[in-house]
Amino acid sequence: MVGLPARGKTYISQKVCRYLTWLSIKTKVFNVGNYRRKLHGANMPHTFFDPHNCIGEQHRREAAAAAMEDMIRWFNEEQGVVAIYDATNSTIARRKWLHESLSKQDIKVLFIESICQDESLIIANIKEVKLSSPDYANVDPEDAAIDFRARIDHYKEQYETITEENYTYIKLINVGSQTIINMIQVYLESRIVYYLMNLHIAPRKIYFSRHGESQFNVQGKIGGDSFLSPRGELYAAKLPGLISDNLGGKPLTVWTSTMNRTIQTAAGLPYPKMQWKALDELDSGLCDGMTYEEIEQKYPEDYANRDEDKFNYRYRGGESYRDVVLRLEPIIMELERHENILIVGHQAILRCIYAYFMNYDQDDLPYLKIPLHTVIEFTPKAYGCEEKRYKGKSNKIY
Ligand code: F6P
């Protein structure tokens, strides 16, 4: 990462980490600020960051080196694939050190610079994130804001935007309004660049709901393309009220799968709708239309294997959760790009999307609870998502 303090570097680091981890790419963030606090204590005044303060400068260099050492160890000993080195890295000299140290280890470097000229975004970031940082524990918020601004000024004195033509980099200017890329060469870099280009920070809500109870749900059968049961129809009738009560008149787009049960559930919603094949339920192949008991009797070995490793188990002629995550990648990209979205989906699909937003790992993902007749509301925040659930019976939050 490259950028002045309060430019969203940590936010971007965590988003990229979550996205790549979700795609099963082993990723870890190394936050140099955490090393600084561990080595030299939190609560350092802005003078610690003054480039003319030799001791401060030396301590900061030590923290940078400790993070780098750990990062290289992680690559070598834990087979890490993508490490995100979260620090200001705001001078040509610092980036040269990074580039040389990592190139020596055969590690490719992609610099991500976040430039923000919009003063209101910087103030919002300071208020929302920085004042609650361990650096300002027990400090009066006004004093903390003044100190943090002075810290930014110290960095500004030395800041050099990336101009190194021989480096691979992406410059994000004012979160998504302009992007400059240089020397992007390999597939993974281009995936990360594409992802970053889709990010935005406009306030918004994302809603998820499973389809209403289907006729197959009543019979305990999996898969299929049945219509709703009478209970499912009741939920479909309630859904428009549940959404509008909480949306407050803002625009919304509804996404469904191409299956009858999600289309029927969304039918009464007075918003633009889009059907996605990629949102169709996990394909259970030969087991489609069977009950779990029938599967256990007919394919006992498969049943046991699925129990053993539900994320990786692939139905005969069908899919695994791992397959579904990959097919949902374009959905995640689109979700990042859009503002308010409601997905009327299926159990396995919503588990995968939920895991992306809430950072669940592969072992937990296939067991996440996404009940019927419940709307899940996500409000993306600086780090992570706030979640509320509304039951179909009433719009009581639980
Ligand atoms: O039972 C409803 C359903 O959506 C099935 O169509 C699907 O196969 C299943 O849930 C996915 O859940 P699990 O992976 O726990 O079997």
Side-chain angles (χ1 to χ4, degrees):
M1 299 303 305
V2 175
L4 290 168
R7 266 57 182 179
K9 296 185 300 299
T10 299
Y11 170 77
I12 294 169
S13 303
Q14 296 197 355
K15 287 288 288 188
V16 172
C17 184
R18 201 153 19 113
Y19 166 67
L20 295 176
T21 306
W22 183 76
L23 285 171
S24 303
I25 296 169
K26 191 165 176 175
T27 306
K28 187 168 174 179
V29 177
F30 293 83
N31 179 290
V32 175
N34 289 340
Y35 285 82
R36 164 178 56 76
R37 282 183 281 272
K38 224 183 318 166
L39 289 173
H40 305 296
N43 280 127
M44 286 298 183
H46 69 85
T47 47
F48 179 82
F49 302 89
D50 184 338
H52 308 290
N53 173 350
C54 299
I55 302 204
E57 167 77 16
Q58 188 196 326
H59 284 176
R60 285 188 293 125
R61 228 178 305 128
E62 279 167 19
M68 166 76 88
E69 231 176 81
D70 266 3
M71 180 166 85
I72 291 175
R73 196 176 312 125
W74 178 78
F75 271 119
N76 293 335
E77 292 173 14
E78 295 186 44
Q79 288 76 46
V81 179
V82 178
I84 303 172
Y85 187 80
D86 180 14
T88 52
N89 301 315
S90 54
T91 62
I92 291 178
R94 173 60 65 88
R95 292 193 291 273
K96 186 165 184 276
W97 168 72
L98 264 168
H99 195 266
E100 281 177 1
S101 316
L102 294 168
S103 300
K104 257 191 239 154
Q105 304 279 333
D106 257 342
I107 295 166
K108 277 190 70 67
V109 185
L110 160 66
F111 288 102
I112 302 171
E113 181 173 9
S114 177
I115 297 174
C116 184
Q117 291 132 343
D118 181 340
E119 199 53 27
S120 63
L121 284 180
I122 298 166
I123 292 171
N125 187 320
I126 294 177
K127 275 202 193 133
E128 204 177 328
V129 183
K130 297 296 171 188
L131 301 188
S132 53
S133 134
D135 285 357
Y136 293 113
N138 308 319
V139 178
D140 172 73
E142 265 181 41
D143 294 342
I146 293 168
D147 184 86
F148 197 77
R149 292 217 146 257
R151 187 195 294 191
I152 295 176
D153 289 339
H154 292 313
Y155 277 98
K156 273 189 183 164
E157 241 184 85
Q158 284 203 315
Y159 184 64
E160 294 164 308
T161 188
I162 301 188
T163 47
E164 298 94 314
E165 280 178 7
N166 54 330
Y167 289 173
T168 297
Y169 66 77
I170 172 167
K171 265 186 214 225
L172 301 165
I173 301 164
N174 291 334
V175 219
S177 57
Q178 197 187 357
T179 313
I180 298 167
I181 57 174
N182 188 62
M183 298 257 292
I184 300 299
Q185 288 159 326
V186 300
Y187 178 73
L188 193 50
E189 288 168 353
S190 67
R191 296 308 311 163
I192 295 170
V193 164
Y194 185 49
Y195 178 73
L196 290 170
M197 286 169 72
N198 284 314
L199 290 186
H200 71 80
I201 51 164
R204 56 145 170 186
K205 301 227 184 268
I206 302 165
Y207 296 96
F208 305 121
S209 170
R210 282 176 70 186
H211 52 79
E213 182 187 73
S214 69
Q215 292 162 6
F216 262 32
N217 288 147
V218 177
Q219 296 161 28
K221 291 179 177 170
I222 67 167
D225 194 15
S226 63
F227 286 95
L228 300 184
S229 72
R231 249 166 53 91
E233 283 174 14
L234 265 181
Y235 177 69
K238 279 185 186 155
L239 189 56
L242 263 185
I243 298 294
S244 66
D245 282 357
N246 296 293
L247 188 65
K250 296 189 203 79
L252 180 80
T253 306
V254 180
W255 294 352
T256 66
S257 71
T258 63
M259 300 182 130
N260 291 325
R261 53 198 187 276
T262 62
I263 297 169
Q264 197 186 348
T265 305
L269 290 160
Y271 310 101
K273 286 177 209 120
M274 205 172 141
Q275 293 175 15
W276 291 81
K277 182 90 184 121
L279 285 175
D280 284 0
E281 181 55 310
L282 183 147
D283 181 353
S284 42
L286 288 185
C287 296
D288 191 84
M290 294 168 74
T291 65
Y292 290 111
E293 292 73 28
E294 285 165 354
I295 298 171
E296 192 177 9
Q297 273 178 7
K298 195 160 179 200
Y299 303 112
E301 224 176 279
D302 285 68
Y303 191 82
N305 289 342
R306 188 162 203 255
D307 214 28
E308 190 60 36
D309 184 358
K310 198 172 173 191
F311 185 78
N312 286 302
Y313 170 80
R314 179 180 283 147
Y315 278 107
R316 295 172 186 227
E319 290 178 302
S320 64
Y321 273 91
R322 181 182 290 281
D323 295 329
V324 171
V325 163
L326 292 181
R327 100 158 122 92
L328 285 174
E329 203 224 357
I331 297 284
I332 293 299
M333 288 287 185
E334 283 300 297
L335 267 179
E336 289 294 359
R337 253 156 48 81
H338 277 79
E339 297 204 354
N340 303 313
I341 295 282
L342 160 64
I343 300 183
V344 180
H346 303 266
Q347 172 153 259
I349 300 298
L350 294 181
R351 279 177 177 151
C352 295
I353 300 176
Y354 187 94
Y356 165 76
F357 281 103
M358 299 308 265
N359 215 5
Y360 277 95
D361 65 27
Q362 293 175 2
D363 292 338
D364 295 326
L365 181 155
Y367 300 98
L368 292 172
K369 291 212 169 3
I370 313 283
L372 282 172
H373 303 174
T374 306
V375 172
I376 299 177
E377 178 191 274
F378 278 159
T379 311
K381 293 278 171 191
Y383 300 139
C385 271
E386 201 178 87
E387 177 186 339
K388 285 180 187 163
R389 292 187 178 212
Y390 306 101
K391 279 235 186 217
K393 286 194 195 114
S394 64
N395 60 358
K396 221 171 63 204
I397 302 171
Y398 80 101

